[in-house]
Amino acid sequence: MTSPCYCTQLRTATRKVAAAYDAALAPVGINIAQYALLRMIQNRQQVSLTELGRVADLDRSTIGRNVKVLERDGLVQTGRGEDQREAVVSLSPRGVEALAAATPLWEACQRQIEKRLGADKIEALRAIAHAV
Amino acid sequence: MTSPCYCTQLRTATRKVAAAYDAALAPVGINIAQYALLRMIQNRQQVSLTELGRVADLDRSTIGRNVKVLERDGLVQTGRGEDQREAVVSLSPRGVEALAAATPLWEACQRQIEKRLGADKIEALRAIAHAV
DNA sequence: GCAATAAGCGGGTATATGCACACACATGAC
DNA sequence: GTCATGTGTGTGCATATACCCGCTTATTGC
């Protein structure tokens, strides 16, 4: 009897959880990946793509493309840093609004997950996330 | 102080774990998603896309596209079922070989994750996966 | 100051994923 | 038998993600 694939378990769980967050955030027109990215940008005011990639643990090119979507939707502004190679990103007023509108919806999801998993599994999730 | 986003924790952890499995399976030319899909097909010998989607908890169209990649690579064969609407999938000889070659590599990943997380977090992961 | 190297980006290519829509085939009511 | 309804697919469109390559802009060694 083969053991269950831990990776597949994670992937499936993540898809389902992300779908729940996406559905909750839909009224604001953003998904959970975008919400997380907007939050990172807000926390840093102004940040380069490479720095965002480092913080988000994502490939720089992925960040660049995701930021492009946010920019198209008017949620962030981009420009050049002092270092002319850097593309710096910051929230637009609409981005600030969207983030403010999304946060209570996100909070509700957080509470829902906490209720669903219970404190022990929430702690385990944190531990797993730090371990990998 | 805002709580960490459970969804983002999951997404990040999953990306990292999946990358490890993908790297391990690279010699066989498949990734972890494909490995999981091949296993599901093998376990059922012959199966329709809708059934695969149900088992994998994936959208049918996603399954259809993923199967198309496996077919292009010669790992599965597709045809029509008795119900002419159904597209049935089965492993090709090369798919059987690839699966056999991949399994020890996958096993090594499983052991690595077990070592990294420890029995308690492995059990917690199982519990989380079942809870969502 | 200039050449070599490093760093930051953008775009091409590829996979995984979901939703909506259109089309084909099956089934059941009559 | 025929028509309405339901089921199974395929495709278009969109996002997230990673890797590789080439271009531009620092930085560094001398």
Side-chain angles (χ1 to χ4, degrees):
Chain A
M1 178 56 193
T2 51
S3 57
C5 179
Y6 307 127
C7 186
T8 303
Q9 284 187 326
L10 264 174
R11 281 166 38 83
T12 303
T14 297
R15 275 201 310 274
K16 292 186 184 177
V17 170
Y21 280 75
D22 286 350
L25 294 175
V28 182
I30 63 177
N31 61 32
I32 184 59
Q34 295 171 329
Y35 177 75
L37 189 51
L38 288 174
R39 282 249 302 234
M40 288 180 222
I41 296 170
Q42 184 182 53
N43 289 341
R44 286 161 186 78
Q45 309 284 318
Q46 181 148 89
V47 58
S48 76
L49 298 187
T50 293
E51 168 70 3
L52 267 182
R54 211 172 47 69
V55 172
D57 232 307
L58 284 171
D59 190 88
R60 184 187 39 68
S61 68
T62 296
I63 291 287
R65 289 175 163 94
N66 293 358
V67 162
K68 192 154 295 198
V69 173
L70 294 177
E71 185 175 22
R72 184 205 59 196
D73 295 347
L75 303 180
V76 302
Q77 306 157 331
T78 65
R80 285 286 147 182
E82 284 199 21
D83 182 331
Q84 288 297 301
R85 293 171 302 183
E86 278 188 353
V88 296
V89 190
S90 56
L91 290 192
S92 71
R94 283 191 51 199
V96 175
E97 282 173 35
L99 202 46
T103 294
L105 306 179
W106 170 79
E107 289 273 11
C109 269
Q110 293 278 100
R111 297 298 86 78
Q112 194 181 317
I113 293 287
E114 283 168 358
K115 193 167 179 179
R116 184 72 166 253
L117 294 187
D120 53 336
K121 296 199 195 71
I122 289 289
E123 165 56 20
L125 170 57
R126 191 199 58 72
I128 291 170
H130 282 212
V132 296
Chain B
M1 177 59 193
T2 50
S3 56
C5 179
Y6 308 127
C7 185
T8 303
Q9 284 187 326
L10 264 174
R11 281 165 38 81
T12 303
T14 297
R15 275 202 309 276
K16 292 185 184 177
V17 171
Y21 280 75
D22 286 351
L25 294 175
V28 182
I30 62 176
N31 61 31
I32 184 58
Q34 296 171 330
Y35 177 75
L37 190 49
L38 287 175
R39 282 247 303 231
M40 288 180 222
I41 296 170
Q42 184 182 53
N43 289 340
R44 285 161 188 77
Q45 309 285 318
Q46 181 147 88
V47 57
S48 76
L49 298 187
T50 292
E51 169 71 3
L52 267 181
R54 211 171 48 69
V55 172
D57 230 310
L58 284 171
D59 190 87
R60 184 186 38 69
S61 69
T62 296
I63 291 288
R65 289 176 220 280
N66 293 359
V67 162
K68 192 155 297 200
V69 173
L70 294 177
E71 185 176 22
R72 183 205 60 196
D73 294 348
L75 303 179
V76 302
Q77 305 156 330
T78 65
R80 286 287 149 183
E82 283 200 22
D83 182 332
Q84 287 297 302
R85 292 170 302 182
E86 278 188 352
V88 297
V89 191
S90 56
L91 290 192
S92 71
R94 283 192 50 198
V96 174
E97 281 174 37
L99 203 45
T103 295
L105 307 177
W106 170 79
E107 288 273 11
C109 268
Q110 293 279 100
R111 298 296 88 78
Q112 193 181 317
I113 294 287
E114 282 168 359
K115 194 167 180 180
R116 184 73 167 253
L117 295 187
D120 54 335
K121 296 199 196 71
I122 288 289
E123 165 56 22
L125 170 56
R126 193 199 58 73
I128 290 171
H130 282 212
V132 296

